[in-house]
Amino acid sequence: MLDFVYYPVSGVLWVWHTVFASVFGAASGVAWVLAIVFLVITLRALLFRPFLAQMRFQRALARMAPQMQEIKRKHAGNTEKQAAEMQKLQQENGVNVLLGCLPLVGQTLVFLGLFHVLRSFQDAHTANYVFSADQVDSFLEAKLFGVHLGATLSSAGDTFGSVAAVAIPLMAIAAIATHFTARFSVARQRETGAEPTAQTNVMNMLALWVFPAGALIAGFIFPVAILLYFVAQNACTFAQQHLVHRKLDAEAVVVSPESRRSPRR
């Protein structure tokens, strides 16, 4: 059903694995780990402009918050008029809701694609999307610190201790990175000075606490390779946030005509 996602994700992963396999060997855990990391980097590069648009979208919403509250007050009880005025306000400020959602949609689709592709690496004699049977076998043989990349805590059995030694630190790093990425985003929201809405408070609470807790819980059923994806994804997101906010801050530094005309003291 989602072959339009699975094949591109598999293709990008295949390209990077082929590159690193030429250096470290096809069944090397390092080659597969780097392939997953560079899949994330490729995704973040493709989503840079939509991510920039998302940040501009969030800042525009913060600027519009007082006007949106006024529209709700003025047209209380008339949802159709509220919706029309909100849409008009968004158009006047160049706000595109779809662009604001694109990075989240893109990240979700790539995660689903990678999870499905890696989960499909089951039989060493069967090809999987763009991967040949030999490459599927190389993934099944690949290890990180002695643990297979496809191993999960929930199905570790007698190897639970060795899998836990790798998976639990990755789970903790992913959860902590998720929390601090959200914390940085919330701090930037507060710097705008806009009054947070009830919806914003709920989303911030989810991002700060529920999503990190979800990363810990999900770590028991996700394979080590997916936990690596979570760590790489959060690290890249955190770095991209800093880069984008620095760019937006530079764009916001505009000398007003009044300040130009004001006499020096």
Side-chain angles (χ1 to χ4, degrees), residues 228-247:
L228 287 167
Y229 169 83
F230 278 151
V231 171
Q233 176 69 21
N234 279 286
C236 288
T237 300
F238 190 73
Q240 196 172 61
Q241 276 185 338
H242 280 272
L243 180 63
V244 167
H245 281 297
R246 285 180 61 183
K247 180 177 176 61

Side-chain angles (χ1 to χ4, degrees), residues 16-36 149:
W16 287 118
H17 176 256
T18 301
V19 170
F20 294 114
S22 65
V23 179
F24 300 103
S28 167
V30 174
W32 279 103
V33 168
L34 289 175
I36 292 170
L149 293 179

Side-chain angles (χ1 to χ4, degrees), residues 131-155:
F131 288 95
S132 66
D134 289 340
Q135 290 170 314
V136 171
D137 183 54
S138 74
F139 175 81
L140 296 176
E141 293 296 323
K143 294 182 178 180
L144 177 66
F145 301 118
V147 174
H148 285 100
L149 293 179
T152 65
L153 280 172
S154 60
S155 61

Side-chain angles (χ1 to χ4, degrees), residues 252-262:
V253 178
V254 178
V255 181
S256 65
E258 289 79 9
S259 63
R260 291 177 181 174
R261 293 194 296 267
S262 61

